[in-house]
């Protein structure tokens, strides 16, 4: 990023302050990745990748020898290929999700499709859309069913069948495990789950051995059976043990199962459970964070051998010091120092591996690794128009909240700055529960840093990834201790000399927007401005919306958010008269997560309180804007708003 001399508009800066940055090329940051996920076929002949378009995600099939596109799969607007699996050397099975805004969590439709690598017709194997024709694909007709289907096991040694979970439409239904033909869609029953809303886990032979579900009381239950046809046995009830356990897979000899187990205090552990002796042994645990991902052996996909821990920058650990997978990872990590390395897929013979390399400044490069020759060949990058060396660095941070709880997060400082006395944007994540910020490339954070701002991201209590107790510490703390954590982090940045105390704004989306407006109301002298994007601002309104969803969602909302008068007391719409600085709000008229009524009410209350408020609405957008022209206007307006109040760069004119 080129630096220009000069002073920041409208704000007198000290000699140590950051010089004005060049205008920001917004298009470079809002432009979508060339692709998201990519996997190599079992023989290495093909590559399959998900490609994000404006309002959908498609699957692209390529021949590896010449990178020629040989087939695609796409559905209508707001439909996204969510995941995909090579089920044999020539066929891919894929799942589909829908979302109605850029920031939505994709909701699986429960459909499973299949397509041949040679680019033949796409086939719907199971789902409600069987009797309809969808834009962009030729779907062969079958019988429609009102069920959700999810892939459980690709059955590595069976090219014709997979194991799927089938759950009837409705609230809190029971799931069946069935064996499905990946060509005809024909299914044969295997077993029925003993708990509602269940997922299944198979052993190395493809036998369904575990069922894990959430019952109507929002409690987790884990069931186990010894083998095909055996009875289910309850092995963990959250109501009794006060923990959740997730099976990760079996050892090669099938005598040990690996679990991720919550602990009474601190982070989750990976535990080895000996099925013969019933003894449990802790294998891996990080003192700060839960396992962030599981590493499976390169020769047997179903065998867990290690884990990724995102304690600040991610690191890998393995069950055994003699693991060949450990040697593979250490070799790759040595080739890419300072970056995160992950083997995304490999050929059936283990000779070729597809390797992803990424970091806080690198959105992701992919290499093909010849395991025997130890040779890496570059394939492609997610965002090859960006130079990682020109991006801003993200540093892990740790601090103590006012009540002594340990808090973790990340601080990004503009490239070329000395990291001192900077204008700061506090950026709380959405969710809030179970979600976390991580050390990774974030285009929005990079855009703000390119404008000259330090960016503070805090994993406040309630965030995921730090153990059961830390997440539950956020229950019913909207506007309470969760908000205090953000305040404490902001004051920490000031005390460390990072942030100029009179040049701080707070900005977020969804729950982050709630936190931004609440922060302004609770700490009127701390923040110079606030911005809220597709936010929730009236908690009683939100809880009514939750209650209409289902009884289980309504119960969850009361347990985690609160109820009655406490909701109104911590709603920004009822605290508008305490806000003393300018606000920028943006929302979409089709938002189903945070309906536009929240933003419209917040705007009216701010206007009535005499607070300067600017708004941007798009009737056809949802929870986050899809269209590039809408994103461009939004970030142009946002940078202009921050520039007027913090002094950073504006967007470059097109």
């Amino acid at each position: 990023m080129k630096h220009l001399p000069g002073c920041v508009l409208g704000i007198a800066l000290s000699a140590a302050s950051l010089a004005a940055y060049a205008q920001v090329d917004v298009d470079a940051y809002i432009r979508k990745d060339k692709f998201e996920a990519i996997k190599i076929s079992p023989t290495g002949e093909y590559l399959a990748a998900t490609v994000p378009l404006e309002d959908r995600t498609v699957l692209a099939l390529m021949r590896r020898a010449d990178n020629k596109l040989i087939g695609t799969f796409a559905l209508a607007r707001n439909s996204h290929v969510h995941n995909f699996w090579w089920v044999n050397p020539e066929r891919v099975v894929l799942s589909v999700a829908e979302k109605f805004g850029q920031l939505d969590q994709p909701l699986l439709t429960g459909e499973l499709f299949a397509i041949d690598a040679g680019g033949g017709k796409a086939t719907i194997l199971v789902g409600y859309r069987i009797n309809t024709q969808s834009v962009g694909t030729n779907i062969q007709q079958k019988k429609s069913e009102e069920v959700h289907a999810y892939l459980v096991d690709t059955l590595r040694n069976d090219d014709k069948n997979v194991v799927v979970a089938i759950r009837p439409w409705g609230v809190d239904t029971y799931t069946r495990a069935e064996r499905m033909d990946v060509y005809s869609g024909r299914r044969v029953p295997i077993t029925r789950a003993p708990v509602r809303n269940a997922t299944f886990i198979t052993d190395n032979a493809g036998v369904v051995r575990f069922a894990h579900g959430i019952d109507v009381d929002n409690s987790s239950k884990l069931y186990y059976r010894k083998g095909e046809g055996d009875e289910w046995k309850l092995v963990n009830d959250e109501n009794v043990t006060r923990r959740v356990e997730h099976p990760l897979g079996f050892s090669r000899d099938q005598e040990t199962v690996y679990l991720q187990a919550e602990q009474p205090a601190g982070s989750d552990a990976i535990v080895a459970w000996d099925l013969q002796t019933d003894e449990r042994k802790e294998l891996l645990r990080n003192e700060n964070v839960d396992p962030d991902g599981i590493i499976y052996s390169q020769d047997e996909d179903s065998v867990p051998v290690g884990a990724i821990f995102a304690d600040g920058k991610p690191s890998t650990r393995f069950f055994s010091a003699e693991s060949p997978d450990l040697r593979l990872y250490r070799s790759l990590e040595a080739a890419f120092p300072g970056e995160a390395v992950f083997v995304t897929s490999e050929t059936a013979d283990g000779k070729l591996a597809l390797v992803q390399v990424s970091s806080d400044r690198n959105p992701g490069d992919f290499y093909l690794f010849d395991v025997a020759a130890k040779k890496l060949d570059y394939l492609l990058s997610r965002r090859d128009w960006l130079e990682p060396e020109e991006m801003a660095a993200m540093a892990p941070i740790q601090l103590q909240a006012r009540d002594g709880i340990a808090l973790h997060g990340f601080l990004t400082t503009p490239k070329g700055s000395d990291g001192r006395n900077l204008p700061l944007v506090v950026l709380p994540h959405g969710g809030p529960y179970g979600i976390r910020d991580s050390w990774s490339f974030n285009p929005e954070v990079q855009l703000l840093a390119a404008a000259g701002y330090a960016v503070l991201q805090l994993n406040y209590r309630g965030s995921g990834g730090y153990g059961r107790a830390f997440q539950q510490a956020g229950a019913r703390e909207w506007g309470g201790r969760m908000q205090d954590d953000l305040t404490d982090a902001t004051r920490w940045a000031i005390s460390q000399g990072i942030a100029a105390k009179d040049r701080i704004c707070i900005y977020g989306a969804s729950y982050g927007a709630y936190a931004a407006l609440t922060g302004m109301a609770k700490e009127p002298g701390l923040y110079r401005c606030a911005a809220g994007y597709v936010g929730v601002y009236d908690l009683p309104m939100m809880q009514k919306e939750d209650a209409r969803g289902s009884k289980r969602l309504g119960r969850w909302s009361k347990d985690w958010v609160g109820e009655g008068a406490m909701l109104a007391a911590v709603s920004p719409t009822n605290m508008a008269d305490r806000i003393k600085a300018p606000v920028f709000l943006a929302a979409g008229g089709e938002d189903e997560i945070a309906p536009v009524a929240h933003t419209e009410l917040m705007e009216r209350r701010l206007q009535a309180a005499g607070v300067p408020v600017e708004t941007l609405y798009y009737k056809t957008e949802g929870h986050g804007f899809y269209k590039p022209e809408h994103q461009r206007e939004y970030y142009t307006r946002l940078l202009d708003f921050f520039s007027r109040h913090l002094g950073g760069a504006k967007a470059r004119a097109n």
Side-chain angles (χ1 to χ4, degrees):
M1 180 65 66
K2 183 180 178 182
H3 295 159
L4 297 178
C7 63
V8 177
L9 294 175
I11 300 177
L13 301 181
S14 67
S17 297
L18 190 65
Y21 275 62
Q23 290 185 326
V24 179
D25 179 8
V26 169
D27 284 350
Y29 297 97
I30 65 172
R31 184 177 170 186
K32 294 184 183 297
D33 292 350
K34 283 190 170 181
F35 63 92
E36 292 174 344
I38 182 168
K39 298 177 185 178
I40 194 168
S41 67
T43 60
E45 186 176 356
Y46 305 107
L47 296 171
T50 46
V51 180
L53 303 180
E54 180 182 295
D55 58 0
R56 71 201 70 190
T57 303
V58 306
L59 182 75
L61 296 163
M62 297 167 284
R63 189 165 53 222
R64 188 171 66 84
D66 55 8
N67 284 336
K68 181 181 178 181
L69 183 68
I70 56 175
T72 60
F73 174 92
L75 290 175
R77 178 176 181 260
N78 300 322
S79 293
H80 302 260
V81 175
H82 183 262
N83 204 349
F84 61 96
W85 305 265
W86 286 100
V87 295
N88 65 44
E90 300 288 336
R91 197 156 176 83
V92 177
V93 168
L94 57 99
S95 63
V96 174
E98 290 183 345
K99 64 176 186 175
F100 299 91
Q102 187 70 12
L103 302 180
D104 273 350
Q105 291 293 319
L107 296 176
L108 287 167
T109 65
E111 300 164 285
L112 291 175
F113 296 81
I115 187 170
D116 286 333
K121 287 184 177 180
T123 302
I124 184 166
L125 299 173
V126 57
Y128 74 94
R129 215 176 323 215
I130 284 180
N131 291 330
T132 65
Q133 286 293 92
S134 298
V135 176
T137 184
N138 296 315
I139 299 175
Q140 298 172 2
Q141 303 277 313
K142 290 184 177 68
K143 180 183 176 183
S144 177
E145 295 179 90
E146 294 184 347
V147 297
H148 298 284
Y150 309 101
L151 189 71
V152 176
D153 193 327
T154 61
L155 297 178
R156 188 181 182 95
N157 297 316
D158 185 342
D159 285 349
K160 188 177 180 182
N161 297 291
V162 294
V163 176
V164 294
I166 302 293
R167 186 159 62 86
W169 283 7
V171 178
D172 300 324
T173 55
Y174 286 89
T175 314
R176 306 185 304 271
E178 299 183 351
R179 186 170 286 102
M180 183 178 72
D181 186 306
V182 297
Y183 293 95
S184 68
R186 181 176 179 271
R187 304 196 308 269
V188 178
I190 297 174
T191 187
R192 181 176 183 269
V195 60
R196 292 176 174 88
N197 308 299
T199 57
F200 294 106
I201 295 89
T202 56
D203 63 17
N204 302 337
V207 178
V208 176
R209 301 285 294 278
F210 283 95
H212 176 259
I214 309 260
D215 229 324
V216 290
D217 59 357
N218 277 317
S219 67
S220 163
K221 292 178 175 60
L222 179 64
Y223 285 82
Y224 165 76
R225 64 178 192 161
K226 290 183 177 180
E228 201 79 68
D230 288 321
E231 294 296 317
W232 289 106
K233 176 184 176 183
L234 180 63
V235 294
N236 185 69
D237 183 345
E238 184 184 7
N239 286 328
V240 177
T241 64
R242 301 300 175 189
R243 68 173 181 266
V244 174
E245 294 184 340
H246 295 280
L248 305 173
F250 287 75
S251 61
R252 282 187 174 83
D253 61 10
Q254 304 263 58
E255 294 184 357
T256 300
V257 65
Y258 303 108
L259 306 169
Q260 180 169 331
E262 292 182 341
Q263 304 298 307
S267 56
D268 294 0
I270 293 180
V271 174
W273 174 22
D274 188 314
L275 297 174
Q276 302 301 316
T277 66
D278 203 31
E279 293 180 356
R280 295 188 177 208
K281 176 184 177 182
E282 184 176 298
L283 284 181
L284 294 180
R285 191 181 185 194
N286 178 284
E287 64 178 356
N288 293 321
V289 297
D290 303 338
D292 196 54
I294 304 303
I295 300 171
Y296 292 86
S297 63
Q298 299 309 302
D299 56 351
E300 293 287 346
D301 281 347
S302 57
V303 177
V305 293
I308 301 168
F309 291 94
D311 189 2
K313 297 181 181 181
S315 62
T316 56
R317 293 176 59 191
F318 291 81
F319 299 170
S320 169
E322 305 303 317
S323 167
D325 299 280
L326 182 151
R327 293 192 292 272
L328 171 65
Y329 267 82
R330 294 296 176 261
S331 175
L332 291 169
E333 289 162 354
F336 299 100
E339 300 202 72
V341 176
F342 183 66
V343 177
T344 69
S345 56
E346 64 287 330
T347 54
D349 59 12
K351 292 182 178 180
L352 294 176
L354 198 61
V355 180
Q356 174 185 288
V357 179
S358 62
S359 72
D360 55 337
R361 298 186 296 169
N362 179 3
D365 298 327
F366 283 77
Y367 295 83
L368 192 67
F369 183 55
D370 185 319
V371 177
K374 297 192 180 301
K375 181 175 179 290
L376 280 162
D377 289 320
Y378 169 79
L379 282 179
L380 67 175
S381 299
R382 285 200 175 103
R383 295 183 175 225
D384 55 11
W385 60 91
L386 294 178
E387 290 293 337
E389 295 78 12
E390 295 300 315
M391 299 295 104
M394 175 186 286
I397 62 169
Q398 183 173 348
L399 59 127
Q400 265 198 342
R402 64 189 66 182
D403 61 357
I405 196 170
L407 301 174
H408 298 81
F410 301 90
L411 178 73
T412 301
T413 52
K415 180 177 172 59
S417 79
D418 62 3
R420 309 291 294 174
N421 198 36
L422 295 171
L424 176 72
V425 175
V426 179
L427 185 63
H429 64 71
Y433 303 113
I435 308 298
R436 64 173 297 189
D437 286 317
S438 61
W439 186 84
S440 60
F441 182 87
N442 183 315
E444 185 176 58
V445 170
Q446 291 294 336
L447 182 148
L448 293 170
Y453 305 117
V455 182
L456 177 62
Q457 298 170 276
L458 182 76
N459 288 321
Y460 46 80
R461 71 192 72 198
S463 301
Y466 296 92
R468 178 186 179 92
F470 186 84
Q471 183 169 325
Q472 291 195 329
R476 295 194 166 205
E477 291 295 343
W478 289 54
R481 291 185 177 91
M482 286 199 298
Q483 195 68 43
D484 292 342
D485 290 346
L486 291 166
T487 301
D488 293 346
T490 305
R491 297 196 186 282
W492 170 88
I494 296 171
S495 70
Q496 297 296 306
I498 298 161
K501 65 179 181 179
D502 58 346
R503 288 186 292 150
I504 303 173
C505 287
I506 184 168
Y507 156 59
S510 197
Y511 172 85
Y514 165 87
L517 273 291
T518 302
M520 283 284 283
K522 292 192 70 174
E523 305 290 340
L526 186 59
Y527 302 109
R528 193 179 184 95
C529 67
Y533 181 33
V534 295
V536 289
Y537 306 114
D538 189 279
L539 299 190
M541 184 193 305
M542 184 185 76
Q543 192 159 90
K544 288 179 183 177
E545 294 156 3
D546 290 343
R548 283 195 292 267
S550 70
K551 288 183 179 180
R552 189 158 62 91
L553 180 58
R555 177 177 297 190
W556 177 92
S557 182
K558 290 181 180 179
D559 288 345
W560 283 88
V561 183
E563 56 187 320
M566 67 179 296
L567 297 179
V570 292
S571 293
T573 50
N574 296 327
M575 297 187 284
D577 59 341
R578 295 163 57 183
I579 295 175
K580 306 301 180 185
V583 172
F584 173 54
L585 301 173
E590 295 183 357
D591 194 338
E592 297 182 359
I593 305 299
V596 68
H598 283 267
T599 300
E600 292 171 336
L601 178 58
M602 191 74 241
E603 180 188 9
R604 292 195 300 271
R605 296 285 173 85
L606 289 169
Q607 289 173 337
V611 179
V613 56
E614 304 168 34
T615 57
L616 177 63
Y617 295 102
Y618 283 112
K619 291 182 180 179
T620 58
E621 291 283 9
H623 198 57
F625 300 160
Y626 265 136
K627 290 184 176 295
E629 60 267 31
H630 295 170
Q631 292 183 17
R632 186 180 302 113
E633 182 176 1
Y634 169 67
Y635 282 111
T636 297
R637 291 274 304 273
L638 182 69
L639 289 181
D640 179 72
F641 177 75
F642 285 149
S643 180
R644 284 182 275 119
H645 301 294
L646 295 180
K650 295 185 178 183
R652 181 188 304 169
N654 291 323

